Amino acid sequence: MREKHNLWWVAGITCLVIVFLVGCSTLQTKINLAGESEHWTGQLDTTVTKGESEQGAYIISYNKDKDSWENVQNFKISINNGQIIRQETGLASASIQFPIMRTEGSKVSDEEDQTVEIEWTDVNGEKYEESMLLQAK
């Protein structure tokens, strides 16, 4: 009789461990999106935990002519209709990083496509505007 009791106890603990491990694996979601326009490439790599906190980054890179990124004088990048906006004078390198670190509240990213709008001026004062769609890799 005691052996049956121990067997049920072991089976119950095993089930709890399995439920716990499966539950923990669904707490985090990795999101990887990428896209390209004529002059730019973009990607989003982030991890969302419990749908509330998030850690990752958007990386937007000038790719038309790898050596001419210094010609970009002013730029404005808008992600998801202005949820994230970055505007600066000149590029410090060919890539621009937008770190994402949220500990609570709504998250910027989800598993849906995301739109990136880029406006910039070159050294000759010529204005450009492009849009790219970041989609699942």
Side-chain angles (χ1 to χ4, degrees), residues 31-33 43-47 55-59 100 137:
I31 298 172
N32 299 303
L33 305 177
Q43 67 183 38
L44 166 64
D45 293 314
T46 189
T47 301
Q55 185 168 358
Y58 287 93
I59 301 172
I100 302 168
K137 291 184 190 181

Side-chain angles (χ1 to χ4, degrees), residues 33-102:
L33 305 177
E36 187 171 342
S37 67
E38 184 180 348
H39 291 87
W40 302 86
T41 57
Q43 67 183 38
L44 166 64
D45 293 314
T46 189
T47 301
V48 179
T49 304
K50 293 190 221 175
E52 296 174 5
S53 66
E54 180 174 15
Q55 185 168 358
Y58 287 93
I59 301 172
I60 309 297
S61 302
Y62 187 77
N63 69 353
K64 182 62 175 177
D65 179 357
K66 298 286 184 192
D67 296 327
S68 69
W69 60 267
E70 295 168 331
N71 292 334
V72 175
Q73 293 299 298
N74 300 302
F75 70 87
K76 177 182 177 183
I77 299 174
S78 174
I79 300 174
N80 292 334
N81 297 316
Q83 285 186 348
I84 296 176
I85 294 178
R86 184 152 173 192
Q87 189 168 350
E88 291 184 21
T89 303
L91 288 175
S93 71
S95 293
I96 306 157
Q97 265 199 346
F98 295 77
I100 302 168
M101 295 182 74
R102 298 185 188 279

